[in-house]
Amino acid sequence: MSKAHNDSTHWRDFEKNDITHSAAHYLMAVDALRDEFGYARVTDVAEMLEVSRGAASMSISQLKKRGWITEDPHRFLLLTDEGKTMARLVEQNFRILTKFFEEVLGMSSEVAMSDACKMEHLMSLETGRRLVWLMRYILSDEGRAAKIHSVMASFRNGCESAEHCPLCEGGECLTPKGEACEFHAHSEKRKLQIEH
Amino acid sequence: MSKAHNDSTHWRDFEKNDITHSAAHYLMAVDALRDEFGYARVTDVAEMLEVSRGAASMSISQLKKRGWITEDPHRFLLLTDEGKTMARLVEQNFRILTKFFEEVLGMSSEVAMSDACKMEHLMSLETGRRLVWLMRYILSDEGRAAKIHSVMASFRNGCESAEHCPLCEGGECLTPKGEACEFHAHSEKRKLQIEH
DNA sequence: TCTCTCTGATCAGTATAGCAAACATATGTC
DNA sequence: GACATATGTTTGCTATACTGATCAGAGAGA
């Protein structure tokens, strides 16, 4: 039984991520509220995130235990240095992903932000860094960016030929369903990669 | 109070995603086991995913209720058409992301697969499709891919000048911490985007 | 037939993450 | 000082997703 193809990356590492989606948003809310109003209270965070005060109270007390949130002398919520680092990291990932989706992939602002929000806390620092490098190259020249966008647009109809599809080579057809790559529809069953 | 900057994409849509991370892996496990052995039982799925039989039993019964898993005449687990579609979609996202991280961003196989596994079930069809287009362009020419990799490598030291950083324009510095873009370290506080 | 193992389901308990409601403690106004 | 509002916590409940233990049923073998 194929059990651990890749022991360093088990599928359940997802749960053991440094920070959960909701924790990230609590931290960012405290950060943003302090920036905007100079203080942050449980009620303000609850209102901003549209959760009940009870839920905010519970979550924030957990984040206090974890050392990411404290209180200032006026008993207002305050991010610790570590909390600030986590919040900024997730925010940065969000900005990087949004920019990439919008300006490189040419997606609408809505879909770009929706996808970015879901992935922001899961993308590693490494990936974010390299995405920035890629964008620095692609977006540094308007002509280059325009070329990429126009070529990408021409790909909307899928692979026109098996011989000239650089992606499907190697046995895995990557063209999503609905725009089937008919030359590779019969591509052999993928390898067992359940555990990734 | 900034409450709903973007009603179409609330931060908690994360929870309302079509499919959860674990559900995706249960479906893929059934699919993979049937491919490899011709059948799939609760115990096999549990063993493959390294969870207890109890957990697998509970999760699979939920997936049956949702109409993604049924049983064949021999009472072995079987994906419904809808279940198959979901499983293939997530697998495809995984392959797209892994290929992008490895071959475009130049990441190690480990980090590429780890990040891809975490995001596979969250990336929209739209994003996956466009990533494929981008890769078809970039990877269709070895020279082009090599150029991108070498230019990206030259960016490892951050922005060398505020005037020539195409990314930081517009007030948000995207260069991750640790390789600070000193010209923009003072970049104004980001806009409130807690709700994305 | 009796027993043993395999299989799958169920139950108690854990952890996250939410809601609604009740509650306690402020704070502020009349 | 008394009442009313605001704020934060606690409690009971839900849902997902696990562990570990227990339990019921189906087969296989002696």
Side-chain angles (χ1 to χ4, degrees):
Chain A
M1 186 78 49
S2 52
K3 203 178 235 174
H5 314 256
N6 201 332
D7 279 312
S8 61
T9 55
H10 186 273
W11 70 279
R12 257 167 65 201
D13 294 346
F14 180 77
E15 289 167 9
K16 296 175 192 70
N17 206 47
D18 291 337
I19 187 168
T20 65
H21 184 72
S22 85
H25 280 270
Y26 279 104
L27 295 181
M28 290 191 290
V30 171
D31 204 18
L33 285 163
R34 286 197 72 102
D35 275 355
E36 202 175 359
F37 304 109
Y39 66 89
R41 296 167 307 170
V42 171
T43 301
D44 304 322
V45 172
E47 194 182 333
M48 172 167 270
L49 296 183
E50 292 179 76
V51 297
S52 67
R53 278 180 298 147
S57 177
M58 300 286 278
S59 293
I60 286 168
S61 76
Q62 283 305 307
L63 294 171
K64 282 178 182 170
K65 279 183 197 157
R66 238 173 269 181
W68 289 342
I69 290 182
T70 32
E71 292 181 356
D72 68 14
H74 303 286
R75 313 219 338 106
F76 289 130
L77 299 175
L78 184 70
L79 295 186
T80 63
D81 285 344
E82 205 186 334
K84 222 172 275 178
T85 301
M86 297 304 297
R88 301 271 156 90
L89 219 115
V90 174
E91 276 172 53
Q92 199 155 46
N93 274 349
F94 175 73
R95 286 202 304 274
I96 291 170
L97 283 166
T98 303
K99 193 175 183 93
F100 176 72
F101 292 153
E102 280 184 20
E103 296 182 26
V104 177
L105 297 190
M107 287 157 57
S108 73
S109 177
E110 283 72 34
V111 181
M113 288 174 75
S114 169
D115 272 32
C117 178
K118 288 175 183 168
M119 310 203 248
E120 64 191 356
H121 67 297
L122 297 167
M123 183 170 71
S124 66
L125 225 132
E126 168 94 13
T127 305
R129 192 159 41 207
R130 285 171 184 270
L131 260 183
V132 170
W133 298 341
L134 179 65
M135 283 197 278
R136 283 193 70 193
Y137 173 71
I138 289 179
L139 302 178
S140 64
D141 178 352
E142 273 195 31
R144 179 152 52 220
K147 174 80 189 296
I148 288 178
H149 293 149
S150 78
V151 174
M152 279 175 64
S154 76
F155 285 151
R156 296 193 182 194
N157 299 321
C159 312
E160 63 293 323
S161 147
E163 283 77 13
H164 298 89
C165 178
L167 274 181
C168 296
E169 284 161 19
E172 8 171 44
C173 182
L174 292 171
T175 302
K177 280 180 178 168
E179 49 194 295
C181 177
E182 64 280 2
F183 296 92
H184 305 135
H186 55 282
S187 75
E188 63 264 63
K189 295 286 193 170
R190 73 254 161 277
K191 288 283 171 29
L192 273 182
Q193 274 182 331
I194 300 314
E195 312 236 343
H196 298 166
Chain B
M1 185 78 48
S2 53
K3 201 178 234 171
H5 315 255
N6 200 332
D7 278 312
S8 61
T9 55
H10 186 273
W11 71 279
R12 257 167 64 201
D13 293 348
F14 180 78
E15 289 167 8
K16 297 176 190 71
N17 206 47
D18 289 339
I19 188 169
T20 65
H21 185 72
S22 86
H25 280 270
Y26 279 103
L27 295 181
M28 291 191 291
V30 171
D31 204 19
L33 285 164
R34 287 198 72 102
D35 274 356
E36 202 176 359
F37 304 108
Y39 65 90
R41 296 167 307 171
V42 170
T43 301
D44 304 321
V45 172
E47 194 182 332
M48 171 167 270
L49 296 184
E50 292 177 77
V51 297
S52 67
R53 277 182 298 144
S57 178
M58 299 284 277
S59 293
I60 286 169
S61 76
Q62 284 304 308
L63 294 171
K64 283 177 181 170
K65 279 183 197 157
R66 238 173 270 182
W68 288 343
I69 290 182
T70 30
E71 291 182 356
D72 68 14
H74 303 286
R75 312 218 339 102
F76 290 130
L77 299 175
L78 183 70
L79 295 186
T80 62
D81 284 345
E82 205 187 336
K84 221 171 276 177
T85 300
M86 297 305 296
R88 301 272 157 88
L89 218 116
V90 174
E91 278 172 52
Q92 200 155 47
N93 274 349
F94 175 74
R95 287 202 304 275
I96 291 170
L97 283 167
T98 303
K99 193 176 183 94
F100 176 72
F101 292 153
E102 280 184 20
E103 298 183 26
V104 176
L105 297 190
M107 288 158 55
S108 73
S109 178
E110 283 72 34
V111 182
M113 287 173 75
S114 169
D115 272 32
C117 178
K118 288 174 183 168
M119 311 202 258
E120 64 190 358
H121 68 296
L122 297 167
M123 183 170 70
S124 67
L125 225 133
E126 168 94 12
T127 305
R129 192 158 43 204
R130 286 171 184 270
L131 259 184
V132 171
W133 299 341
L134 179 65
M135 284 196 278
R136 283 194 68 193
Y137 173 70
I138 289 178
L139 302 178
S140 65
D141 178 353
E142 272 195 32
R144 179 153 51 220
K147 173 80 190 297
I148 288 178
H149 292 148
S150 77
V151 174
M152 279 175 62
S154 76
F155 285 151
R156 296 192 182 195
N157 298 321
C159 311
E160 62 292 326
S161 146
E163 283 78 13
H164 298 89
C165 178
L167 275 179
C168 295
E169 284 162 18
E172 8 172 42
C173 181
L174 292 170
T175 303
K177 280 181 179 168
E179 49 193 294
C181 178
E182 64 279 2
F183 295 93
H184 305 134
H186 56 282
S187 74
E188 63 263 62
K189 296 287 192 169
R190 72 255 161 278
K191 287 284 171 28
L192 273 182
Q193 274 182 328
I194 300 315
E195 312 234 343
H196 297 165

